[in-house]
Amino acid sequence: MNPFCHASDGAGHDRRQSPEPRRAEHGRWPGLEAALALVNRDLTATLPGQEGLILVVEPPWRPPSPGGLDGGQVYVAMPDGRWHGEPVNTCEPEEGDPADPDDEETALAVVAEAAQSTVMELLRQVWPICFEHGLGLHPRPAGTAEDWHRGDGDAAGPPVWWCRGRDGHCHDVSLVGELAGALPGERRRALRRGGRGRDGLR
């Protein structure tokens, strides 16, 4: 049985005849790899013992058109290759989109959102959590207000983990990749002790 979870199938897709998803080749998606390394720092900091997430590629259904990209769809997956959610190598799945998000902040925001979807669905728990309010965090541009919606043109800050807070007191918890610094003191010290001699990234 194929261990991979897939996004929803469109009409006419026959999984029995499709190529198997595979782990992404190292160096093929440098922007996504760099973003995932940062997200994995947050995963290691907040879920001790959890192995880092990986990138997997679902090969394209059809051969690429002449001059087209032969990259397939890239997903953020658990170490065993299962994933949930949307691909991270296109912001909008339309012909002509870039193969890799075209800037670091976009890549980080997209990968953080995909990682959160995979972790929450497959581990069946809210991740990450604001330690001040006990609420789930969301990846957003820094400094956004509670009524922010994706696509708002005036939000240009770096990606952060954002908390809705209580009574309308929303706040940025940390930059994506720096969630360890927002942990309560005792947890932060335990993380430092447990992390000596390894970098926590996989």
Side-chain angles (χ1 to χ4, degrees), residues 26-195:
H26 180 69
R28 172 68 178 85
W29 308 96
L32 298 176
E33 290 172 14
L36 185 58
L38 289 173
V39 173
N40 273 335
R41 284 171 45 177
D42 291 343
L43 186 72
T44 299
T46 54
L47 296 180
Q50 175 61 47
E51 289 186 65
L53 303 169
I54 64 172
L55 297 176
V56 295
V57 179
E58 184 178 40
W61 291 103
R62 294 180 290 274
S65 58
L69 297 168
D70 184 18
Q73 296 294 298
V74 181
Y75 297 87
V76 175
M78 300 298 290
D80 62 6
R82 296 175 302 137
W83 79 81
H84 182 268
E86 300 296 322
V88 293
N89 59 323
T90 54
C91 296
E92 295 181 14
E94 296 178 5
E95 190 173 343
D97 277 349
D100 204 353
D102 57 2
D103 67 83
E104 293 178 8
E105 290 184 356
T106 298
L108 186 53
V110 170
V111 168
E113 190 168 319
Q116 182 179 52
S117 178
T118 288
V119 168
M120 289 178 63
E121 180 68 21
L122 299 180
L123 295 184
R124 301 198 182 282
Q125 66 182 78
V126 176
W127 179 83
I129 293 173
C130 174
F131 290 94
E132 179 182 350
H133 296 110
L135 300 172
L137 301 176
H138 305 276
R140 282 190 171 195
T144 55
E146 186 173 8
D147 61 353
W148 175 84
H149 296 284
R150 186 169 307 286
D152 286 354
D154 57 349
V160 298
W161 292 112
W162 176 89
C163 176
R164 183 173 306 283
R166 306 252 183 229
D167 300 322
H169 294 105
C170 59
H171 64 109
D172 297 348
V173 173
S174 80
L175 292 169
V176 173
E178 298 183 13
L179 200 48
L183 296 174
E186 186 176 325
R187 287 278 307 268
R188 194 166 53 247
R189 288 190 291 275
L191 181 66
R192 272 198 227 108
R193 286 193 301 271

